[in-house]
Amino acid sequence: MTEPDRQIPEAPLPRDMRLSPAERALLDHYDAQRRLALLRIIVPGLFVVALLALPFGIQADLEAHSITSTTQDAVGLIAFAIAFWATRNQRADLASAALFAGISGTVVLLLLNDGPLNNMLDLTAVPVFALFTLPIAIAGIFGRPYLVALATLACVTFTLLVMLLTPHTPALRAALDQSGGLALFTIPISAQIALGVLMFAANRGFRRTVRELGAARLAYAREKEMDIIKDRFIDSVNHELRTPIMALQGYIELARTLGTRGSFERQEYMLERAEQASDHLVGIVRSVLSARRVETDANALTLSRFALRPVIIAATSLLDPREAGEQDRALHLRVPDDLRVYADEDLVRQVTLNLLSNAAKYSPPGSPIEVDARVVAPATSLLSIARLRRGTPQQPVVEVSVHDHGLGVPPEQAGLLFQRFVRLERDTASAIPGTGLGLAICRAYVEAMGGSIWLESDGLPGGGSTFRFTLPLADATDATDATDATDATVAPPIVGATPQTDAPAATRHDGRMPSA
């Protein structure tokens, strides 16, 4: 390995920063599946027990002329029924909450009926306090450490209030007056605290183990994803290289044949075509090799304050006419003249060019392309949300969108397009050239400048795709003026090949993209 190829290792990031939202969702999915597996065992059993106990509770209430036993059984039965339904519907959070509520409610009602609601706390009711270990255990198995702490605090507090505020029967007072009689109260409370501490420690250790196992599964999933990307890259490169190589071979062979016949003019034409194929081949190889330099280029920024509109117009003039198609293509540009950003001008031009190139290649010939720019409030910006989580002061940002009227992108595949060498299968099998690097380069450049880039598409033919990216606003004082100018812009349909002049040029630029 040569010195330029050697990469400097980055400092390790916090766990939450290393995981993408999709990967964090996958870890949550693993934990939900673990809880559902336990709930499928616990909930049906408790539901059957509560269902069988209900007739006996009704009979006991009829004999005692009360509804206490029926109420206790009904609370547990309803909660366990909800937990059973939620478990069958893969709703782990609801099932866990219902299970905890059913057990806690049953124990609380049992203690209230034997204590405060009975106006006296009897000696026979003291062992019931031990049942409060069940909610603590459920919180430890299905909840997080803080839920274990809250459940333990609630159980201990409820136990103390009932023991201290409820009048005691003579039998309980006599037992408490004996030597060591306070153990009747201290043992249940100590058991609850001890179990809470153990469950808290076990829960933290278990969740750490789950995270490690989840990280191992994520590493395996990433490895499989890399294999898929490699396969797609090989297919893409094979598809892209085969055409120019075969054309190059064919033109050279024809040129040699024409040379022997003395057809020098046609030979020169074939050599020119061979040179074009060679240039195309060199361009493909250069684009593949440049993927290694994307991060280096993204980190070597030259930040400045500049007007966005001229940069976007310059990008449209750099677009390859062969990509726009043989028909004139309308370009609707709605960008205020006074809208300024703080970014790297060259990188912004490249990002815009890549998005325009994609819009031209993947939409029908002659269909319009729309480019808009506006100031976005911090509350609605993906960039500002990320900064808010990091505690960074929020500032207004500029959102640029490029919309086409092509086939669109299936929503489930939208995130893949920003990875290197990734193309949709339909595009790989088509005659549309590409290496799957354009959007990956856009993402690296935009994020290096402090912005975000994403894709919006419903995947329906004709609905097209909208690529949006954000850039820092040059001056916060420009936000009001730029927002007003953008809101006042409504571009009419294109009626000619020249820019429209019936509206201020500062707010609209409608023209034709170059055609082949």
Side-chain angles (χ1 to χ4, degrees):
M1 178 181 296
T2 60
E3 189 65 26
D5 292 335
R6 190 172 302 161
Q7 296 182 353
I8 300 175
E10 298 179 354
L13 295 174
R15 182 179 302 273
D16 291 340
M17 293 295 292
R18 291 202 302 265
L19 296 179
S20 66
E23 290 171 338
R24 283 196 291 268
L26 186 59
L27 284 180
D28 293 338
H29 174 72
Y30 293 155
D31 182 65
Q33 293 301 313
R34 188 266 310 177
R35 287 183 291 159
L36 287 172
L38 294 174
L39 289 167
R40 293 188 187 101
I41 300 174
I42 297 174
V43 172
L46 292 177
F47 178 73
V48 171
V49 170
L51 187 63
L52 295 176
L54 184 60
F56 296 99
I58 294 175
Q59 181 179 0
D61 285 341
L62 291 176
E63 294 176 355
H65 303 288
S66 68
I67 58 171
T68 56
S69 299
T70 304
T71 303
Q72 296 171 13
D73 292 338
V75 168
L77 183 62
I78 294 173
F80 298 148
I82 296 175
F84 183 77
W85 174 84
T87 302
R88 288 182 59 87
N89 288 273
Q90 305 290 316
R91 302 181 64 176
D93 291 337
L94 178 59
S96 302
L99 176 62
F100 180 81
I103 292 178
S104 301
T106 301
V107 174
V108 168
L109 288 176
L110 182 62
L111 283 172
L112 289 177
N113 291 329
D114 290 344
L117 297 182
N118 197 29
N119 295 325
M120 295 292 287
L121 182 62
D122 191 49
L123 180 62
T124 58
V126 173
V128 181
F129 288 104
L131 294 178
F132 269 126
T133 55
L134 294 178
I136 298 175
I138 294 298
I141 295 173
F142 296 100
R144 297 182 180 273
Y146 74 90
L147 291 178
V148 179
L150 290 177
T152 303
L153 180 62
C155 291
V156 171
T157 302
F158 184 84
T159 300
L160 286 173
L161 291 177
V162 172
M163 287 180 173
L164 297 178
L165 300 181
T166 306
H168 300 165
T169 61
L172 179 58
R173 287 199 299 269
L176 292 174
D177 292 337
Q178 294 180 2
S179 177
L182 289 178
L184 293 173
F185 287 173
T186 58
I187 289 178
I189 295 176
S190 300
Q192 294 173 19
I193 295 176
L195 181 62
V197 172
L198 292 175
M199 293 304 298
F200 182 86
N203 187 283
R204 291 196 62 182
F206 177 75
R207 296 193 70 83
R208 185 180 300 110
T209 302
V210 169
R211 284 197 301 269
E212 293 173 354
L213 293 176
R217 297 183 67 175
L218 281 177
Y220 176 71
R222 286 174 175 174
E223 187 68 24
K224 290 184 64 178
E225 184 178 358
M226 287 302 300
D227 290 338
I228 294 174
I229 292 176
K230 290 177 183 178
D231 293 339
R232 289 178 176 174
F233 168 67
I234 294 174
D235 292 340
S236 177
V237 171
N238 177 63
H239 179 270
E240 296 300 324
L241 293 180
R242 183 172 61 249
T243 300
I245 288 176
M246 293 179 64
L248 182 61
Q249 290 176 339
Y251 290 137
I252 292 176
E253 183 177 350
L254 287 174
R256 183 183 298 112
T257 302
L258 293 172
T260 59
R261 296 178 181 178
S263 302
F264 298 109
E265 293 183 0
R266 295 190 62 188
Q267 183 187 40
E268 182 67 21
Y269 172 75
M270 291 301 171
L271 290 176
E272 290 178 358
R273 297 296 298 270
E275 184 180 6
Q276 294 176 0
S278 177
D279 293 340
H280 180 54
L281 180 61
V282 171
I284 294 176
V285 174
R286 185 182 295 112
S287 66
V288 173
L289 296 178
S290 66
R292 294 179 57 86
R293 300 194 298 268
V294 169
E295 294 180 358
T296 303
D297 294 342
N299 292 328
L301 299 178
T302 304
L303 299 178
S304 62
R305 292 174 173 83
F306 58 90
L308 183 61
R309 180 186 177 88
V311 175
I312 295 178
I313 295 177
T316 62
S317 64
L318 296 175
L319 187 64
D320 189 344
R322 292 171 296 182
E323 295 178 347
E326 297 181 356
Q327 302 180 22
D328 287 344
R329 187 187 293 269
L331 175 64
H332 300 261
L333 181 61
R334 293 182 286 268
V335 180
D337 272 345
D338 56 352
L339 184 57
R340 292 159 50 85
V341 297
Y342 182 68
D344 188 302
E345 186 172 346
D346 293 333
L347 298 190
V348 173
R349 185 184 301 108
Q350 185 63 48
V351 169
T352 307
L353 178 60
N354 288 355
L355 296 181
L356 288 173
S357 174
N358 270 8
K361 290 191 298 185
Y362 297 105
S363 60
S367 62
I369 296 176
E370 294 135 26
V371 181
D372 296 84
R374 58 175 182 149
V375 176
V376 181
T380 60
S381 167
L382 296 178
L383 171 64
S384 61
I385 293 175
R387 287 179 172 178
L388 179 61
R389 291 176 178 175
R390 296 195 299 265
T392 306
Q394 301 182 70
Q395 296 291 339
V397 296
V398 175
E399 180 184 283
V400 183
S401 63
V402 178
H403 178 72
D404 62 66
H405 296 271
L407 294 176
V409 177
E412 65 275 8
Q413 300 181 15
L416 298 176
L417 293 180
F418 292 97
Q419 300 179 10
R420 295 179 180 179
F421 310 117
V422 173
R423 299 184 70 198
L424 298 180
E425 293 184 4
R426 72 179 186 207
D427 299 332
T428 304
S430 68
I432 301 175
T435 57
L437 287 172
L439 293 179
I441 292 174
C442 290
R443 178 180 180 181
Y445 286 171
V446 169
E447 291 182 351
M449 292 183 288
S452 303
I453 185 170
W454 66 97
L455 166 63
E456 297 176 359
S457 178
D458 54 14
L460 299 178
S465 304
T466 302
F467 287 89
R468 301 182 187 274
F469 66 94
T470 58
L471 296 170
L473 185 64
D475 300 302
T477 56
D478 295 342
T480 303
D481 297 337
T483 303
D484 294 340
T486 304
D487 292 341
T489 299
V490 180
I494 300 302
V495 295
T498 58
Q500 299 295 315
T501 58
D502 58 344
T507 60
R508 182 174 66 214
H509 172 79
D510 295 336
R512 297 287 184 178
M513 296 180 64
S515 59

